[in-house]
């Protein structure tokens, strides 16, 4: 595979941007390779600047549920562009998008449009704190909610008693407000509530964790979170930046039948443009300025081009619900192919799959939490990544990211992928 043009661009980029990239995982660091620079993408395919073609299972880390450059979405974006790129004033498109979100997720009684998932989770937590008058929040180890200070926190060595920043530049005093529990571990949550009576504003959780690889919630885990937050006067925030419009138009909350107090959406909701949403209970959202005392704003929030892409994407998903059946079936076929690969090569693999999300962990253990995910052999993952790339298949350059199946993946794409996996 010739990658000379990518290498030239990477050399220049490294002088201009930290690590040559604008988001760390793009650097391919954890698979020990140099990143490919992309020229364009269409449908299920992505093309690098050297003309190599790949079947893409990264899908921009989730937004691309319809594949790349869907003609109807592109048309909506181009049309909207001719009317002006931003006004800093309200538009009917924002109403339309909010109505669609509400039709899909009735828990979203009132919402705000923002520009990134990071902004959505940061703002949802501020609203939760403003509403409850409490400072502490609980997050789960291995769940990712964007890069705002209070969410870049890990359980310290004295797990569950002490929280430490997971990044330079995050004040320890800030990290102290974030308590870290273990995914699928109810006792770890109970313990935090016992030790922090009437201090916890909210639990924030990825209802299906998809940033430590895909990890499913145990059947009783989300109902338990709903119950314990209610008992303690705390709020439940579902971070559906990945699962929203991915597990169905109703997201994880419809899939599992749990109604969170607040929800964050991103990725698919912007149809490939920078847009995200947070919202939920009306009484909470009424705390947000200018109605209430919780400040949150944005020059480009509700941008007309981004809302146009989001509206069209959601309209297509609502119009063609069979997309979800097809992408789930294709993801299950890929999961089967991974298991066959493991059998053939005599390697240990554990596959987690739900809907069109899947992860093959290079471990013999069942993966139910971050600890399980960490048991993966990441060098085996790097070998698999290189093998797939050499055979024209672009998967996530990290063990701890999901594989996304899109509506643009054809039966031939899936069959080719299965052939490569099981060769
Ligand atoms: C991607 C992601 C975010 C952050 O969204 P950005 O748009 O990258 O800021 C937050 N939460 C979850 C669950 C995500 O997957």
């Amino acid at each position: 595979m010739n990658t000379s043009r990518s290498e030239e661009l990477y050399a220049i980029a490294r002088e201009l941007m930290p690590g040559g990239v604008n988001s760390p995982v793009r650097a391919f660091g954890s698979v020990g390779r140099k990143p490919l620079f992309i020229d364009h993408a269409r449908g299920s395919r992505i093309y690098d600047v050297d003309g190599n073609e790949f079947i893409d299972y990264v899908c921009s880390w989730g937004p691309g549920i319809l594949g790349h450059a869907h003609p109807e979405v592109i048309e909506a974006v181009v049309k909207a562009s001719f009317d002006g790129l931003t006004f800093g004033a309200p538009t009917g498109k924002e109403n339309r998008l909010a109505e669609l979100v509400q039709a899909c997720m009735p828990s979203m009684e009132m919402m705000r449009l923002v520009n990134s998932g990071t902004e959505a989770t940061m703002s949802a937590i501020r609203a939760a704190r403003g509403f409850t008058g409490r400072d502490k929040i609980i997050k789960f180890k291995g769940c990712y909610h964007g890069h705002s200070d209070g969410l870049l926190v890990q359980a310290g060595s004295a797990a569950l008693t002490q929280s430490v920043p997971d990044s330079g530049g995050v004040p320890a005093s800030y990290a102290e407000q974030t308590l870290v529990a273990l995914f699928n571990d109810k006792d770890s949550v109970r313990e935090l509530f016992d030790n922090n009576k009437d201090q916890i504003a909210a639990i924030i959780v990825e209802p299906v964790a998809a940033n430590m690889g895909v990890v499913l919630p145990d059947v009783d885990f989300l109902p338990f979170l709903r119950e314990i937050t209610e008992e303690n006067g705390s709020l439940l925030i579902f971070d559906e930046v990945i699962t929203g419009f991915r597990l169905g138009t109703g997201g994880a909350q419809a899939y599992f039948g749990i109604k969170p107090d607040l929800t964050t959406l991103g990725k698919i909701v912007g149809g490939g443009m920078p847009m995200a949403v947070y919202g939920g209970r009306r009484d909470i959202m009424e705390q947000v300025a200018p109605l209430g005392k919780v400040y949150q704003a944005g020059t480009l929030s509700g941008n007309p081009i981004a809302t146009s892409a989001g509206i069209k994407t959601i309209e297509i998903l609502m119009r063609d619900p069979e997309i979800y059946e097809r992408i789930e079936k294709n993801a299950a076929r890929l999961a089967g192919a991974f298991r066959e690969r493991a059998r053939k090569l005599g390697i240990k693999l554990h596959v987690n799959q739900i809907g069109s999300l899947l992860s093959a962990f290079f471990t013999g253990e069942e993966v139910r939490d971050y600890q399980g995910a960490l048991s993966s052999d990441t060098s085996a993952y790097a070998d698999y990544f290189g093998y797939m790339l050499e055979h024209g298949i672009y998967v996530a350059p990290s063990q701890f990211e999901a594989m996304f199946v899109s509506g643009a993946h054809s039966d031939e794409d899936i069959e080719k992928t299965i052939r490569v996996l099981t060769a």
Side-chain angles (χ1 to χ4, degrees):
M1 187 168 62
N2 174 22
T3 57
S4 56
R5 185 73 191 123
S6 274
E7 280 168 45
E8 282 168 37
L9 290 173
Y10 183 48
I12 297 167
R14 273 166 44 167
E15 296 300 316
L16 297 169
M17 288 160 277
V21 292
N22 285 306
S23 197
V25 73
R26 295 180 195 173
F28 281 19
S30 58
V31 288
R33 296 177 76 103
K34 293 178 179 170
L36 298 179
F37 279 60
I38 302 307
D39 183 72
H40 68 285
R42 198 146 293 132
S44 62
R45 306 293 167 126
I46 194 162
Y47 301 83
D48 71 11
V49 289
D50 290 288
N52 300 304
E53 175 181 335
F54 305 95
I55 303 175
D56 178 22
Y57 289 104
V58 179
C59 295
S60 189
W61 309 95
I65 192 165
L66 300 176
H68 296 284
H70 189 288
E72 288 181 69
V73 178
I74 298 299
E75 192 191 352
V77 165
V78 170
K79 258 192 179 155
S81 305
F82 280 105
D83 291 331
L85 299 179
T86 171
F87 316 123
T91 64
K93 286 190 176 136
E94 290 153 84
N95 293 3
R96 173 74 183 147
L97 186 95
E99 282 168 356
L100 287 171
V101 167
Q102 199 170 59
C104 293
M105 293 172 206
S107 74
M108 298 287 265
E109 294 167 359
M110 196 177 247
M111 70 198 86
R112 260 287 161 77
L113 276 50
V114 294
N115 304 289
S116 69
T118 294
E119 211 185 319
T121 55
M122 177 185 80
S123 307
I125 284 169
R126 187 178 303 146
R129 285 175 167 152
F131 181 77
T132 58
R134 301 175 179 181
D135 286 343
K136 291 189 174 160
I137 58 162
I138 294 177
K139 80 174 284 287
F140 293 93
K141 196 168 179 174
C143 282
Y144 177 69
H145 306 290
H147 64 87
S148 70
D149 285 347
L151 290 167
L152 290 178
V153 174
Q154 281 288 341
S157 47
L160 306 184
T161 53
Q162 187 197 357
S163 299
V164 295
D166 201 20
S167 161
V170 175
S173 60
Y174 213 99
E176 278 166 18
Q177 304 301 324
T178 305
L179 310 172
V180 182
L182 305 179
F183 198 77
N184 279 331
D185 182 341
K186 294 189 280 191
D187 285 340
S188 72
V189 180
R190 278 193 202 103
E191 191 179 324
L192 290 176
F193 273 100
D194 287 345
N195 295 340
N196 298 273
K197 273 260 166 278
D198 301 327
Q199 295 179 64
I200 295 169
I203 293 181
I204 184 165
V205 64
E206 290 181 80
V208 172
N211 286 286
M212 47 175 144
V214 175
V215 177
L216 277 61
D218 292 346
V219 280
D220 54 351
F221 185 59
L222 298 174
F224 162 77
L225 296 182
R226 181 61 286 181
E227 215 168 274
I228 195 165
T229 43
E230 264 168 14
E231 281 167 14
N232 288 277
S234 306
L235 303 179
L236 180 61
I237 305 172
F238 270 9
D239 181 353
E240 296 225 43
V241 169
I242 283 189
T243 53
F245 302 103
R246 172 62 62 181
L247 296 183
T249 51
Q253 50 200 274
Y255 194 99
F256 295 108
I258 303 282
K259 190 176 171 191
D261 300 299
L262 291 171
T263 298
T264 55
L265 299 169
K267 301 197 167 114
I268 293 173
V269 80
M273 297 291 286
M275 195 181 63
V277 178
Y278 74 99
R281 267 167 53 187
R282 186 174 299 275
D283 56 342
I284 302 169
M285 291 305 290
E286 280 176 346
Q287 302 297 312
V288 176
L291 271 188
K293 61 187 187 318
V294 175
Y295 193 71
Q296 181 267 312
T299 303
L300 295 175
S301 291
N303 175 270
I305 316 303
T307 46
S308 297
I311 288 166
K312 184 52 75 180
T313 299
I314 297 171
E315 283 175 350
I316 293 170
L317 293 170
M318 290 174 81
R319 183 185 77 199
D320 304 328
E322 64 83 29
I323 287 178
Y324 290 106
E325 285 166 40
R326 191 152 47 82
I327 59 182
E328 170 154 19
K329 193 190 75 199
N330 283 337
R333 289 182 70 194
L334 293 175
F338 275 111
R339 293 185 184 109
E340 192 177 327
R341 176 180 179 78
R343 246 191 331 272
K344 273 200 169 155
L345 299 183
I347 53 174
K348 287 177 179 156
L349 262 187
H350 182 82
V351 187
N352 283 346
Q353 181 239 328
I354 179 169
S356 56
L357 291 170
L358 73 153
S359 279
F361 294 95
F362 288 76
T363 176
E365 284 182 34
E366 200 188 340
V367 179
R368 297 177 55 249
D369 58 16
Y370 191 53
Q371 217 45 43
L374 285 185
S375 71
S376 300
D377 177 350
T378 51
S379 75
Y381 186 90
D383 291 345
Y384 146 82
F385 174 82
Y387 167 80
M388 297 300 276
L389 206 62
E390 300 291 337
H391 289 83
I393 297 169
Y394 189 84
V395 295
S398 162
Q399 170 72 84
F400 306 108
E401 303 285 352
M403 185 169 185
F404 295 94
V405 179
S406 84
H409 288 112
S410 65
D411 286 346
E412 293 90 85
D413 290 331
I414 300 297
E415 274 147 29
K416 178 180 172 187
T417 309
I418 290 173
R419 273 200 307 279
V420 170
L421 274 174
T422 55

